Amino acid sequence: MSLDHRLPDELEELRRTVEAFAHDVVAPQIGSYYEQHAFPYDIVRQMGQMGLFGLPFPEEYGGMGGDYLALGIALEELARVDSSVAITLEAGVSLGAMPVYRFGTEEQKREWLPKLCAGELLGAFGLTEPDGGSDAGATRTTAVRDGDDWVINGSKCFITNSGTDITGLVTVTAVTGRKADGSPEISAIIVPAGTPGFTVAAPYSKVGWNASDTRELSFSDVRVPAGNLLGEEGRGYAQFLRILDEGRIAIAALATGLAQGCVDESVRYAKERRAFGRPIGANQAIQFKLADMEMRAHTSRLAWRDAASRLVHGEPFKKEAALAKLYSSTIAVDNAREATQIHGGYGFMNEYPVARMWRDAKILEIGEGTSEVQRMLIARELGV
């Protein structure tokens, strides 16, 4: 018996729909947004109308009734054309809406998920801090109970979707107490956009992902109702570990899309570009590069789909998610470098998509767990 990796009809239809949207709507205009460091509100609005932000959520909350495999399919197809649009979707779903769905009360779900699923609002996840980086347990942001409120003080950095005109909430991790051994108890708290004392800095000047929104946040005596606690008090650390495990599958799908996009653009260019009297694709050196690039993208796709399938079926998936994220981000950088080399001088020009892909690739080895952290997780799962 052989494994069948073909997509079911409904997922293949989704893939084709998003592929057409990426090529017909995103590709013609995203370069302008990218160079202007502008957020593509119109594109995001259309993605919301397509139901992409609601893909893995139940219909009762305004979702499409799909799962993480469906989300990954959409992310891969978008990232084949542009990663800024893809990361806006990934962060909006995996980091913005998913914590509310996984850990929220029924009231919180009813309040936030319909608009998040429709793309009318974006959610963000305030985890990383300036002095923390990969050490998420070193959270310094605090939340203290004062009557019926939480009072939050601290700062977060590198937070995606946190300062757009349609950002609705940021879920913030904060120290809410101490355990018997003195270690911090971390909780997650919903902070609506516009809450007094919640300040969103100007967008970062970034190397890549220039059409996505990334900012630093600060909290100065920010008061929110006690009912804004997300999940159990003191369980925030465990909650965001689960969210990051799932998010790594989504990032792996996005990275696979970028890697495949590098293949797409390089094959097209190799057929059109002529040197020494023939297309450069006729040269074995170029053919071998293209073959290796396709091999990497294909293997990466199998890895993230395996992790997603395990998640969907309720099986352990932590190791497979880390493997997929580590491998896909590594080969995305490899493929972007080779695509730029195949394009020669034109690969260094921003008018060519591979230049954008080259700039976008590196962050995939850093965001949602660095490659070093993934290796630590994999080794831990192996029992060493």
Side-chain angles (χ1 to χ4, degrees), residues 26 132 280:
V26 178
I280 63 171

Side-chain angles (χ1 to χ4, degrees), residues 289 336-344:
K289 285 183 183 294
R337 183 182 61 250
E338 293 288 38
T340 304
Q341 191 71 19
I342 289 171
H343 280 69

Side-chain angles (χ1 to χ4, degrees), residues 113-144:
L113 286 180
K115 289 187 177 181
L116 292 172
C117 288
E120 297 174 9
L121 293 180
L122 291 176
F125 191 52
L127 170 64
T128 306
E129 299 194 356
D131 295 328
S134 295
D135 185 7
T139 298
R140 294 187 179 182
T141 297
T142 62
V144 178

